[in-house]
PDB file of all heavy atoms in Angstrom:
ATOM      1  N   GLN A 126     -11.754   0.868  10.871  1.00 76.00           N
ATOM      2  CA  GLN A 126     -13.053   0.960  11.166  1.00 76.00           C
ATOM      3  C   GLN A 126     -13.238   2.171  12.144  1.00 76.00           C
ATOM      4  O   GLN A 126     -12.446   2.442  12.978  1.00 76.00           O
ATOM      5  CB  GLN A 126     -13.620  -0.313  11.894  1.00 76.00           C
ATOM      6  CG  GLN A 126     -13.577  -1.502  11.039  1.00 76.00           C
ATOM      7  CD  GLN A 126     -14.175  -2.811  11.867  1.00 76.00           C
ATOM      8  OE1 GLN A 126     -14.367  -2.686  13.014  1.00 76.00           O
ATOM      9  NE2 GLN A 126     -14.495  -3.749  11.121  1.00 76.00           N
ATOM     10  N   LEU A 127     -14.271   2.855  11.804  1.00 74.00           N
ATOM     11  CA  LEU A 127     -14.635   4.047  12.719  1.00 74.00           C
ATOM     12  C   LEU A 127     -15.167   3.584  14.052  1.00 74.00           C
ATOM     13  O   LEU A 127     -15.849   2.698  14.210  1.00 74.00           O
ATOM     14  CB  LEU A 127     -15.716   4.929  12.000  1.00 74.00           C
ATOM     15  CG  LEU A 127     -15.362   5.594  10.698  1.00 74.00           C
ATOM     16  CD1 LEU A 127     -16.491   6.184  10.102  1.00 74.00           C
ATOM     17  CD2 LEU A 127     -14.239   6.562  10.950  1.00 74.00           C
ATOM     18  N   ALA A 128     -14.553   4.256  15.110  1.00 66.00           N
ATOM     19  CA  ALA A 128     -14.992   3.945  16.431  1.00 66.00           C
ATOM     20  C   ALA A 128     -16.394   4.212  16.682  1.00 66.00           C
ATOM     21  O   ALA A 128     -16.992   3.593  17.505  1.00 66.00           O
ATOM     22  CB  ALA A 128     -14.073   4.594  17.424  1.00 66.00           C
ATOM     23  N   HIS A 129     -16.948   5.309  16.131  1.00 73.00           N
ATOM     24  CA  HIS A 129     -18.280   5.641  16.298  1.00 73.00           C
ATOM     25  C   HIS A 129     -18.913   5.833  14.843  1.00 73.00           C
ATOM     26  O   HIS A 129     -18.268   6.219  13.968  1.00 73.00           O
ATOM     27  CB  HIS A 129     -18.433   7.008  16.950  1.00 73.00           C
ATOM     28  CG  HIS A 129     -17.732   7.051  18.407  1.00 73.00           C
ATOM     29  ND1 HIS A 129     -18.209   6.409  19.454  1.00 73.00           N
ATOM     30  CD2 HIS A 129     -16.492   7.543  18.675  1.00 73.00           C
ATOM     31  CE1 HIS A 129     -17.332   6.562  20.517  1.00 73.00           C
ATOM     32  NE2 HIS A 129     -16.336   7.281  20.008  1.00 73.00           N
ATOM     33  N   GLY A 130     -20.284   5.649  14.845  1.00 77.00           N
ATOM     34  CA  GLY A 130     -20.956   5.861  13.580  1.00 77.00           C
ATOM     35  C   GLY A 130     -21.009   7.408  13.309  1.00 77.00           C
ATOM     36  O   GLY A 130     -20.973   8.233  14.210  1.00 77.00           O
ATOM     37  N   LEU A 131     -20.954   7.765  12.067  1.00 85.00           N
ATOM     38  CA  LEU A 131     -20.949   9.152  11.697  1.00 85.00           C
ATOM     39  C   LEU A 131     -22.406   9.654  12.017  1.00 85.00           C
ATOM     40  O   LEU A 131     -23.326   9.047  11.684  1.00 85.00           O
ATOM     41  CB  LEU A 131     -20.581   9.335  10.237  1.00 85.00           C
ATOM     42  CG  LEU A 131     -19.174   9.198   9.948  1.00 85.00           C
ATOM     43  CD1 LEU A 131     -18.875   9.649   8.428  1.00 85.00           C
ATOM     44  CD2 LEU A 131     -18.220  10.009  10.813  1.00 85.00           C
ATOM     45  N   ILE A 132     -22.428  10.962  12.411  1.00 89.00           N
ATOM     46  CA  ILE A 132     -23.748  11.630  12.714  1.00 89.00           C
ATOM     47  C   ILE A 132     -23.803  12.824  11.774  1.00 89.00           C
ATOM     48  O   ILE A 132     -22.900  13.673  11.696  1.00 89.00           O
ATOM     49  CB  ILE A 132     -23.757  12.055  14.217  1.00 89.00           C
ATOM     50  CG1 ILE A 132     -23.763  10.909  15.120  1.00 89.00           C
ATOM     51  CG2 ILE A 132     -24.972  13.015  14.400  1.00 89.00           C
ATOM     52  CD1 ILE A 132     -23.797  11.224  16.521  1.00 89.00           C
ATOM     53  N   GLY A 133     -24.935  12.888  11.102  1.00 88.00           N
ATOM     54  CA  GLY A 133     -25.299  13.985  10.272  1.00 88.00           C
ATOM     55  C   GLY A 133     -24.531  13.911   8.979  1.00 88.00           C
ATOM     56  O   GLY A 133     -24.450  15.031   8.184  1.00 88.00           O
ATOM     57  N   ARG A 134     -23.975  12.849   8.504  1.00 90.00           N
ATOM     58  CA  ARG A 134     -23.231  12.813   7.329  1.00 90.00           C
ATOM     59  C   ARG A 134     -23.931  11.822   6.222  1.00 90.00           C
ATOM     60  O   ARG A 134     -23.172  11.413   5.185  1.00 90.00           O
ATOM     61  CB  ARG A 134     -21.838  12.319   7.539  1.00 90.00           C
ATOM     62  CG  ARG A 134     -20.910  13.305   8.334  1.00 90.00           C
ATOM     63  CD  ARG A 134     -20.852  14.606   7.670  1.00 90.00           C
ATOM     64  NE  ARG A 134     -19.870  15.474   8.237  1.00 90.00           N
ATOM     65  CZ  ARG A 134     -19.710  16.783   8.039  1.00 90.00           C
ATOM     66  NH1 ARG A 134     -20.557  17.375   7.133  1.00 90.00           N
ATOM     67  NH2 ARG A 134     -18.725  17.510   8.529  1.00 90.00           N
ATOM     68  N   GLU A 135     -25.116  11.346   6.492  1.00 89.00           N
ATOM     69  CA  GLU A 135     -25.830  10.372   5.547  1.00 89.00           C
ATOM     70  C   GLU A 135     -25.908  11.053   4.242  1.00 89.00           C
ATOM     71  O   GLU A 135     -25.592  10.282   3.223  1.00 89.00           O
ATOM     72  CB  GLU A 135     -27.194  10.045   6.149  1.00 89.00           C
ATOM     73  CG  GLU A 135     -27.132   9.315   7.486  1.00 89.00           C
ATOM     74  CD  GLU A 135     -26.937  10.145   8.655  1.00 89.00           C
ATOM     75  OE1 GLU A 135     -27.026  11.461   8.541  1.00 89.00           O
ATOM     76  OE2 GLU A 135     -26.746   9.598   9.786  1.00 89.00           O
ATOM     77  N   ARG A 136     -26.393  12.271   4.060  1.00 90.00           N
ATOM     78  CA  ARG A 136     -26.501  12.917   2.773  1.00 90.00           C
ATOM     79  C   ARG A 136     -25.247  13.102   2.113  1.00 90.00           C
ATOM     80  O   ARG A 136     -25.048  12.830   0.846  1.00 90.00           O
ATOM     81  CB  ARG A 136     -27.234  14.193   2.931  1.00 90.00           C
ATOM     82  CG  ARG A 136     -27.503  14.916   1.630  1.00 90.00           C
ATOM     83  CD  ARG A 136     -28.237  16.213   1.849  1.00 90.00           C
ATOM     84  NE  ARG A 136     -27.425  17.144   2.651  1.00 90.00           N
ATOM     85  CZ  ARG A 136     -27.803  18.359   3.091  1.00 90.00           C
ATOM     86  NH1 ARG A 136     -29.030  18.650   3.037  1.00 90.00           N
ATOM     87  NH2 ARG A 136     -26.927  19.080   3.875  1.00 90.00           N
ATOM     88  N   ASP A 137     -24.204  13.590   2.857  1.00 93.00           N
ATOM     89  CA  ASP A 137     -22.843  13.750   2.274  1.00 93.00           C
ATOM     90  C   ASP A 137     -22.327  12.471   1.667  1.00 93.00           C
ATOM     91  O   ASP A 137     -21.717  12.320   0.569  1.00 93.00           O
ATOM     92  CB  ASP A 137     -21.919  14.294   3.213  1.00 93.00           C
ATOM     93  CG  ASP A 137     -22.345  15.717   3.823  1.00 93.00           C
ATOM     94  OD1 ASP A 137     -22.971  16.528   2.989  1.00 93.00           O
ATOM     95  OD2 ASP A 137     -22.201  15.892   5.019  1.00 93.00           O
ATOM     96  N   ALA A 138     -22.480  11.412   2.503  1.00 93.00           N
ATOM     97  CA  ALA A 138     -21.928  10.081   2.135  1.00 93.00           C
ATOM     98  C   ALA A 138     -22.600   9.686   0.795  1.00 93.00           C
ATOM     99  O   ALA A 138     -21.969   9.104  -0.028  1.00 93.00           O
ATOM    100  CB  ALA A 138     -22.094   9.032   3.059  1.00 93.00           C
ATOM    101  N   ALA A 139     -23.897   9.728   0.785  1.00 92.00           N
ATOM    102  CA  ALA A 139     -24.635   9.336  -0.510  1.00 92.00           C
ATOM    103  C   ALA A 139     -24.203  10.145  -1.711  1.00 92.00           C
ATOM    104  O   ALA A 139     -24.142   9.654  -2.808  1.00 92.00           O
ATOM    105  CB  ALA A 139     -26.212   9.499  -0.178  1.00 92.00           C
TER     106      ALA A 139
END
Side-chain angles (χ1 to χ4, degrees):
Q126 293 185 348
L127 295 173
H129 306 283
L131 286 188
I132 293 177
R134 294 301 193 195
E135 296 80 7
R136 181 180 62 191
D137 299 323

